[in-house]
Amino acid sequence: MGAYLLRRVIFFIPTLFLITLLSFIISQSAPGDPVEQMLSGRAGGGGEQLAERQANQRAYLEKRRELGLDLPIFYFSIAPLAEPETLHRIPQVTVQEALRRLVYKFGNWQAVESYYKAVRRLDSAFYASFADTHWKGNQTEVQALLTLLPQEKNYQEILYKLRQLEQRIIPSLMPFYKQVWNTVSAMPEEAQRWKVYVPTIHWYGTANQYHRWLMGLLRGDFGTSYQDKRPIAKKLADAVRWSLVINFISILLAYLIAIPLGVISAVRRGSLQDRFISISLFMLYSLPNFWVGTMAIMFLCGGDYLSIFPPGGVQSTEHSPEWPLLRRITDWTYHLILPVIVYTYGSLAFLSRQMRTALLENLQQDYVRTARAKGLSEKIVIWKHAFRNSLIPIITLLASVFPAMISGSVILETIFSIPGMGLLSYGAMIARDYPVIISVFTIGAVLTLVGILIADVLYAVVDPRITYTKR
Amino acid sequence: MKKEAKISYSPRARAWEAFRQNRPAYYSLWVVGILAVIAISADFLAYNKPIIASYQGEIIWPIFRDYEEKWFGLKLWTPELRKADWRSLELEWAVWPPVRYAPEELDLRNAPAVSPFGEQIIRNAAERHYLGTDNLGRDLLSGLIHGTRISLTVGLVSMGISAIIGILLGALAGYFGDTSLQVSRATLWTGSIGVLLGLFYGFYLRRYALGEALGESFLAFLASLIESLLWFAGVVGICWLPSRILKKTRWGAHRVHLWVDLTISRIIEVMISLPTTLLIFTVAAVAKPSLFLVMAVIGLTSWTGIARFMRGEMLKVRSLDYIQAARALGYSDLRIMFLHALPNSLAPVLVSIAFGIASAILVESGLSFLGIGVPPTTVTWGSLLSAARSATNAWWLAIFPGMAIFIVVTLFNILGEGFRDAIDPRLQAR
């Protein structure tokens, strides 16, 4: 058993690796600049005075280094020959992306780089002459154009923006502007398109963003939330409690009710009871839980209709740890009854339908006939022989019920305002707090793997034929 | 007994007969058909312009004119008619759709949330909001009718994607197993290099073009994807050419087994241990809202069931006599697989597809209920249901959209059960 468990855990490593990779890819494709998100938009552009702007830029670069965003993304990169392997050092993801697109178009990094440098020079010259009297109030427009220019991916758009700049710029900046214009017009002339079609591999080693992130993950450091700058690990620890409590209760309830229901309807197959149970379970199975949840909140919880249950939350507002335990538990129960019902009924229906099918299949087997022929009582035949064998598929389902509940809780916790992982990730989704979304996904995936592992172990407990050891 | 003479004994005819005997399933198929008709003709059932109208002596087909503008990019409307509210125009006569509101149209006089039985500010009885309005004054019935289109499209497209992947991978794994696909070392190496380079030229270099097309429209993405596939095929083809020479060498002529089944089974195992719904939620939350993206992600993550069924069926079918016969006749593996073995193993996949459509629709409604993944202007059943959360007295917003989701999900679940019962001979015997 121990050896088998070890083997399973080892087998999970590639899957885990894949999950972290997937999470990382998703987080990389999240729009926006993480550093600006962290500094809440006061970096990058912004800041009218030169000194203030320089301070902001310094803060930006410092934060960037602190987050390790100046590192390459992965252990290695596959890129066209035209793309320089040091592109990741350029600050601002959007600028990086724009330059990469230009390189993909023209194939000549020297040309693109000199354009970028010319833009930077024009930029600093602009801020140095911010107080110039020749501006006639054009500064803000020029500032906006200069912020957008290096982020522009489309060559035609760059030309268009430059022409707009030309009309507004003051004479003293003209030489800088001319430089930019020259480098831009040089790009198509000096194009080396063949370089785009030569693939190269570059090895960066462990000093990369993925490695850093993964190591952080292993230490339990999930990064910081954009919203409140709190460590994500702390937020998760607060939230996971409620999700686990509700999921645990509801999985337990689902199994406790589903198994007898399934057995009754299999044993009395074709009877009125069976048909009633089957049809109502089928309906329950197809009933979207977020519909039931919405209706329950609307019709039963305060609102304009009945007011039997509290309108969401896990405890009443005056709830305090000083209350006697019994009172606290009653308060929690009162709040959790409705969510638990809505959580449970779907998996309950699914499980008992599976239980019924499995038991029916087993009741037709030869060994059941043998047991009956031996003269065993029907009770023993069903419970001791057929039932035990029918449990196997039900147990495997634990592996699929568990992840379903985790993802299902995103919707249900939102409806019932339960401060668990689901609500946390919903809040993050709305606020575009990507590090939190990715962390919830990673944790959810790991919990799923744990669910599968538990199912595997239970499998061996129920079925003595499965020993997992080499005979 | 004339009827008995009609019974055919081909397995397919028998399965169909069994399916027809199953009344709920058979009727569900009909209802799904009706829903499909509603989805296709949604604009003729609920729209803010008449189907045909006579205006100032001229006969106009406004809905068709809108279609022409949308599909061919023409400019056919005069400026005043483009902006006009057709319900208040002085038309000589007109044939209207039964519901006179477009799904995303805001009727500000009947906002927020007017009850179907309550007082509505309308000009005449035909303009009634039959099922009320939502918190922004959008007509609920119109939204439900047009939402049918979205739900069915999501179900069909996402399951289409997952069926293609699942059937292909499952069939390959089941048909070839680990031993029967042998290639020469020359083909293996040139092929692998070709695939890697093909991925680089076809997809990696074109990733920006593909991404932009995805954001634009489904057709643009399809065109871009086909271009990528052509690049891929071309590069693989060129790389494969030297294998003809290499095959003549001793090293290149050596035959090796391809572990098709092992590889695909491992991929399936890994896919199963991913929490797919959570993955869909995460991707939808991070990416730019797009209905097509939602369908693609659902499709790309839900093919494992189909692949497993297909693999099992193929394992059974490939040992049957007629496949041996086809092999003896010297048919190529691909021909046997696609023309002879596949059609016989498709039935169980149908079961998976029916259940898959139900769960895809459920996932999409869940996403739009939360307001992630689907553009905020798109009216779906899920987004209508979520309106009930902000209008707490609007029972019609809680009941009707949820009912629509429930009915469609139930229909496809019944269909799936029906297909399964019809196909599974063990169950027939009962």
Side-chain angles (χ1 to χ4, degrees):
Chain A
M1 190 73 206
Y4 170 77
L5 257 179
L6 194 70
R7 221 164 351 125
R8 284 305 286 182
V9 171
I10 289 172
F11 180 74
F12 278 148
I13 290 174
T15 316
L16 259 180
F17 176 72
L18 194 88
I19 285 169
T20 57
L21 208 58
L22 208 62
S23 312
F24 186 70
I25 291 171
I26 297 172
S27 71
Q28 282 294 315
S29 56
D33 193 321
V35 185
E36 269 174 44
Q37 298 258 28
M38 288 299 249
L39 298 174
S40 314
R42 70 181 162 85
E48 296 192 347
Q49 295 309 310
L50 188 63
E52 190 187 334
R53 182 180 152 78
Q54 275 171 347
N56 277 349
Q57 271 181 346
R58 250 198 311 281
Y60 178 92
L61 290 177
E62 206 168 295
K63 193 80 193 166
R64 197 171 116 89
R65 208 169 17 254
E66 187 192 316
L67 293 173
L69 292 170
D70 53 346
L71 297 173
I73 289 173
F74 200 57
Y75 296 100
F76 61 88
S77 74
I78 300 173
L81 183 60
E83 189 182 320
E85 68 260 13
T86 49
L87 190 66
H88 58 264
R89 289 192 195 144
I90 287 171
Q92 278 189 294
V93 187
T94 40
V95 177
Q96 261 177 47
E97 209 49 37
L99 295 180
R100 186 178 287 124
R101 299 280 281 263
L102 287 174
V103 170
Y104 269 52
K105 193 172 162 67
F106 297 111
N108 187 347
W109 171 241
Q110 267 84 37
V112 176
E113 196 186 20
S114 52
Y115 152 72
Y116 174 62
K117 282 183 175 156
V119 172
R120 291 285 299 271
R121 276 196 295 272
L122 175 62
D123 198 63
S124 4
F126 165 71
Y127 282 99
S129 65
F130 204 86
D132 201 303
T133 45
H134 293 86
W135 276 113
K136 299 183 210 121
N138 266 340
Q139 284 108 317
T140 41
E141 274 176 67
V142 172
Q143 190 182 9
L145 277 170
L146 275 178
T147 319
L148 288 178
L149 183 64
Q151 299 178 17
E152 187 50 63
K153 317 164 190 157
N154 186 317
Y155 186 72
Q156 296 305 323
E157 281 291 315
I158 291 178
L159 292 180
Y160 176 72
K161 287 216 161 72
L162 280 180
R163 268 184 231 112
Q164 280 188 315
L165 260 182
E166 191 176 13
Q167 291 162 10
R168 293 176 177 82
I169 215 151
I170 51 171
S172 64
L173 289 182
M174 223 35 186
F176 294 100
Y177 169 78
K178 272 280 174 308
Q179 263 185 356
V180 177
W181 179 263
N182 288 342
T183 53
V184 168
S185 42
M187 266 194 262
E189 286 160 22
E190 294 168 13
Q192 295 171 315
R193 290 212 174 76
W194 61 271
K195 277 189 174 172
V196 180
Y197 296 100
V198 182
T200 55
I201 298 180
H202 187 86
W203 179 258
Y204 290 111
T206 53
N208 65 62
Q209 290 184 37
Y210 173 73
H211 189 79
R212 215 184 122 112
W213 177 75
L214 190 66
M215 289 303 124
L217 217 61
L218 292 179
R219 282 197 312 267
D221 172 15
F222 289 88
T224 359
S225 157
Y226 288 166
Q227 279 166 294
D228 51 10
K229 318 279 188 266
R230 274 178 66 200
I232 294 173
K234 259 220 165 98
K235 292 181 85 160
L236 282 174
D238 289 347
V240 83
R241 222 169 13 146
W242 286 111
S243 295
L244 281 184
V245 165
I246 293 179
N247 278 330
F248 181 73
I249 297 176
S250 101
I251 289 180
L252 198 71
L253 271 181
Y255 271 90
L256 281 181
I257 304 171
I259 291 175
L261 267 187
V263 171
I264 289 173
S265 96
V267 171
R268 305 193 184 150
R269 184 161 66 91
S271 71
L272 204 65
Q273 239 171 333
D274 171 36
R275 249 182 289 164
F276 176 73
I277 295 177
S278 291
I279 290 177
S280 35
L281 285 183
F282 187 83
M283 300 295 251
L284 275 186
Y285 175 63
S286 310
L287 211 55
N289 56 10
F290 54 92
W291 182 36
V292 178
T294 311
M295 290 208 300
I297 285 279
M298 178 182 270
F299 296 123
L300 300 178
C301 303
D304 295 17
Y305 303 94
L306 295 176
S307 171
I308 304 172
F309 292 103
V314 284
Q315 51 198 18
S316 33
T317 39
E318 62 269 24
H319 186 106
S320 81
E322 280 134 44
W323 283 7
L325 189 64
L326 195 66
R327 190 167 166 206
R328 286 169 67 192
I329 290 177
T330 329
D331 188 44
W332 283 327
T333 319
Y334 176 56
H335 280 81
L336 289 184
I337 285 180
L338 214 49
V340 165
I341 292 175
V342 179
Y343 263 79
T344 312
Y345 80 82
S347 37
L348 165 82
F350 180 63
L351 285 173
S352 41
R353 282 160 54 77
Q354 297 292 328
M355 182 73 219
R356 178 176 181 271
T357 324
L359 191 57
L360 275 182
E361 226 155 72
N362 271 295
L363 283 175
Q364 288 182 341
Q365 302 276 326
D366 288 338
Y367 74 87
V368 169
R369 197 175 308 146
T370 315
R372 283 198 179 121
K374 273 201 300 193
L376 293 179
S377 73
E378 194 62 21
K379 212 177 206 164
I380 292 186
V381 171
I382 288 169
W383 289 105
K384 213 164 170 198
H385 294 253
F387 174 70
R388 210 176 150 141
N389 280 310
S390 327
L391 271 181
I392 298 166
I394 302 293
I395 282 168
T396 6
L397 284 178
L398 184 65
S400 64
V401 169
F402 198 51
M405 289 204 153
I406 294 171
S407 42
S409 51
V410 178
I411 298 183
L412 287 182
E413 286 181 5
T414 309
I415 294 176
F416 289 105
S417 8
I418 294 163
M421 291 237 296
L423 191 63
L424 180 70
S425 70
Y426 176 69
M429 284 170 190
I430 296 301
R432 313 215 146 256
D433 190 353
Y434 300 115
V436 175
I437 304 178
I438 306 297
S439 308
V440 172
F441 171 69
T442 317
I443 297 249
V446 172
L447 285 180
T448 308
L449 284 185
V450 173
I452 295 174
L453 195 65
I454 293 175
D456 275 347
V457 174
L458 285 179
Y459 224 48
V461 175
V462 177
D463 190 344
R465 282 171 304 183
I466 308 169
T467 53
Y468 295 135
T469 40
K470 287 203 184 98
R471 264 161 288 190
Chain B
M1 299 289 266
K2 257 187 178 171
K3 228 184 165 182
E4 254 172 51
K6 266 191 191 166
I7 294 177
S8 146
Y9 284 94
S10 84
R12 198 168 301 172
R14 212 162 46 195
W16 175 241
E17 200 49 46
F19 181 74
R20 275 182 41 148
Q21 296 299 318
N22 185 346
R23 289 286 132 187
Y26 186 62
Y27 290 134
S28 297
L29 196 60
W30 273 102
V31 182
V32 169
I34 293 169
L35 285 176
V37 172
I38 292 179
I40 292 166
S41 58
D43 289 335
F44 300 93
L45 295 173
Y47 206 59
N48 54 3
K49 287 176 186 154
I51 299 166
I52 177 170
S54 168
Y55 177 61
Q56 294 178 347
E58 189 194 357
I59 291 182
I60 314 175
W61 297 78
I63 296 182
F64 287 100
R65 195 175 276 190
D66 270 3
Y67 278 172
E68 285 169 67
E69 285 213 336
K70 205 157 81 187
W71 291 343
F72 306 116
L74 306 174
K75 289 263 174 281
L76 298 170
W77 290 114
T78 53
E80 59 269 24
L81 272 188
R82 188 187 300 280
K83 276 190 219 135
D85 178 4
W86 281 79
R87 286 170 299 245
S88 60
L89 282 186
E90 299 237 338
L91 305 168
E92 281 101 53
W93 55 268
V95 179
W96 279 87
V99 179
R100 300 188 178 187
Y101 296 93
E104 65 278 359
E105 188 188 357
L106 309 179
D107 182 357
L108 295 175
R109 288 174 306 174
N110 290 306
V114 172
S115 160
F117 305 124
E119 207 169 299
Q120 301 180 355
I121 307 165
I122 43 177
R123 277 176 290 266
N124 56 54
E127 280 177 24
R128 211 176 159 70
H129 295 282
Y130 298 108
L131 291 184
T133 61
D134 75 355
N135 47 351
L136 301 173
R138 297 179 296 195
D139 186 77
L140 181 58
L141 184 55
S142 177
L144 288 183
I145 290 171
H146 286 260
T148 315
R149 183 182 274 182
I150 290 172
S151 284
L152 290 189
T153 315
V154 167
L156 287 180
V157 173
S158 56
M159 276 308 114
I161 295 172
S162 79
I164 290 173
I165 302 173
I167 289 174
L168 213 64
L169 289 185
L172 283 173
Y175 185 82
F176 287 117
D178 280 337
T179 50
S180 45
L181 188 61
Q182 289 188 356
V183 291
S184 68
R185 219 180 245 164
T187 319
L188 179 66
W189 281 96
T190 52
S192 318
I193 293 170
V195 167
L196 287 180
L197 284 178
L199 287 176
F200 178 78
Y201 289 114
F203 295 94
Y204 190 71
L205 282 187
R206 289 180 39 77
R207 62 187 191 273
Y208 296 120
L210 280 168
E212 264 160 32
L214 184 65
E216 208 172 297
S217 75
F218 177 64
L219 275 182
F221 178 67
L222 209 64
S224 192
L225 193 66
I226 288 171
E227 200 187 326
S228 279
L229 287 174
L230 284 178
W231 269 97
F232 180 73
V235 172
V236 171
I238 291 169
C239 290
W240 176 73
L241 282 177
S243 79
R244 315 200 74 163
I245 306 160
L246 279 174
K247 253 184 207 168
K248 303 228 165 70
T249 65
R250 248 185 91 198
W251 176 85
H254 186 88
R255 318 261 316 157
V256 282
H257 294 300
L258 285 190
W259 296 337
V260 184
D261 191 22
L262 189 78
T263 316
I264 293 177
S265 299
R266 274 295 118 77
I267 296 175
I268 293 176
E269 253 174 77
V270 170
M271 283 298 289
I272 288 174
S273 42
L274 289 180
T276 41
T277 322
L278 203 56
L279 179 64
I280 295 168
F281 274 58
T282 309
V283 172
V286 170
K288 212 173 94 188
S290 139
L291 201 62
F292 177 67
L293 185 77
V294 170
M295 297 191 270
V297 179
I298 296 177
L300 288 177
T301 49
S302 57
W303 52 267
T304 47
I306 296 174
R308 279 159 85 197
F309 264 122
M310 196 68 213
R311 176 177 170 273
E313 269 317 279
M314 266 302 195
L315 277 175
K316 255 187 272 169
V317 170
R318 78 165 172 186
S319 56
L320 294 181
D321 287 341
Y322 80 100
I323 299 291
Q324 302 294 332
R327 220 172 259 152
L329 282 170
Y331 289 166
S332 75
D333 273 332
L334 283 184
R335 176 170 176 172
I336 300 175
M337 195 166 86
F338 284 110
L339 291 184
H340 301 279
L342 243 179
N344 252 346
S345 354
L346 275 180
V349 173
L350 220 54
V351 180
S352 263
I353 289 181
F355 286 127
I357 290 178
S359 72
I361 290 175
L362 212 51
V363 168
E364 183 274 324
S365 336
L367 279 175
S368 41
F369 178 78
L370 291 179
I372 47 181
V374 181
T377 47
T378 312
V379 178
T380 66
W381 291 346
S383 70
L384 287 170
L385 180 58
S386 77
R389 291 175 60 214
S390 44
T392 49
N393 59 343
W395 54 267
W396 55 98
L397 284 176
I399 291 191
F400 297 120
M403 188 69 92
I405 301 168
F406 172 53
I407 289 172
V408 169
V409 170
T410 313
L411 283 177
F412 280 103
N413 280 338
I414 295 177
L415 268 185
E417 297 251 305
F419 288 149
R420 187 168 61 198
D421 292 351
I423 290 161
D424 197 341
R426 272 181 316 173
L427 293 167
Q428 268 170 39
R430 273 183 208 163

